[in-house]
Amino acid sequence: MGFLDNYETVNQKVIRLHATFPTNRIETSIIDWQPDKGYILIECRIFRNYEDEKPAAIDYAHGMVGAYNPQMKRWYVEDTVSSAIGRCASVVLGTETKPSLESMQQVETMPKAFIEEDLWAKPFSEDGFATAQSSMDEIKSKLGGEILSEAPICAHGHMLLKEGTAKTGKPYRGHVCVEKVKANQCSPIWYVLGSDGQWKVQL
């Protein structure tokens, strides 16, 4: 048995879909398309019955023209739409393999230059995208916001934030254990206010 023997074509999945749900409805839409950058994102929704209000499954396919051989580049949009339909049909039909035979064949014939180029190693900023870190930095610089980390976890779960102003007029902040029995409580974590106006763990 070969590597691709367990995969169905999109057409085979659609035929099974029509046989299983004769009144099904398939809807596809473009979520994002950047022709100049050579990629497209397609959404597919499949309804078991034509009159159903909510889809039985939603799935996506991301197509990049650089992943196709020269003779297939002009049809990368159509192929991505077919891929989205195949993936979504797999969810509705409950197949063992989600990718279609066509997608797996494409993996085997993908241009070598595209495989060797690690796109995920490039920072998003090169393509005009904002990273989570840059977005947080912008909030802090422009809005004066403070990015708080998740509450620390002790043996009894997430600790509670305790803050306020002491009788001396000095602000305080710390995390305390949620355990009600004082003898069993974990040690609290207290913070000190730094010269930069940010709270830091008291050492």
Side-chain angles (χ1 to χ4, degrees), residues 54-178:
K54 295 183 178 180
I58 303 175
D59 214 317
Y60 301 84
H62 181 261
M64 299 188 70
V65 68
Y68 289 82
N69 287 319
Q71 62 270 25
M72 282 294 296
K73 287 182 183 294
R74 63 181 298 178
W75 293 293
Y76 88 97
V77 173
E78 294 89 336
D79 189 68
T80 305
V81 173
S82 296
S83 179
I85 294 173
R87 292 178 60 83
C88 199
S90 294
V91 177
V92 178
L93 296 170
T95 60
E96 293 183 1
T97 55
K98 198 172 188 180
S100 64
L101 177 62
E102 294 91 339
S103 295
M104 297 310 297
Q105 287 175 333
Q106 182 185 350
V107 171
E108 288 198 325
T109 60
M110 193 173 292
K112 184 179 180 181
F114 184 83
I115 297 175
E116 292 177 346
E117 182 182 16
D118 187 1
L119 298 177
W120 292 106
K122 294 183 177 180
F124 285 138
S125 58
E126 284 190 0
D127 293 324
F129 291 99
T131 63
Q133 183 61 51
S134 65
S135 297
M136 290 191 293
D137 291 341
E138 185 173 0
I139 292 173
K140 292 172 68 177
S141 62
K142 292 187 177 181
L143 302 180
E146 179 183 359
I147 307 301
L148 299 177
S149 59
E150 183 182 5
I153 300 175
C154 67
H156 301 97
H158 280 90
M159 303 179 78
L160 295 177
L161 176 64
K162 188 175 183 180
E163 58 183 346
T165 304
K167 293 180 180 180
T168 59
K170 186 177 180 180
Y172 65 87
R173 174 181 286 185
H175 281 94
V176 296
C177 181
V178 296

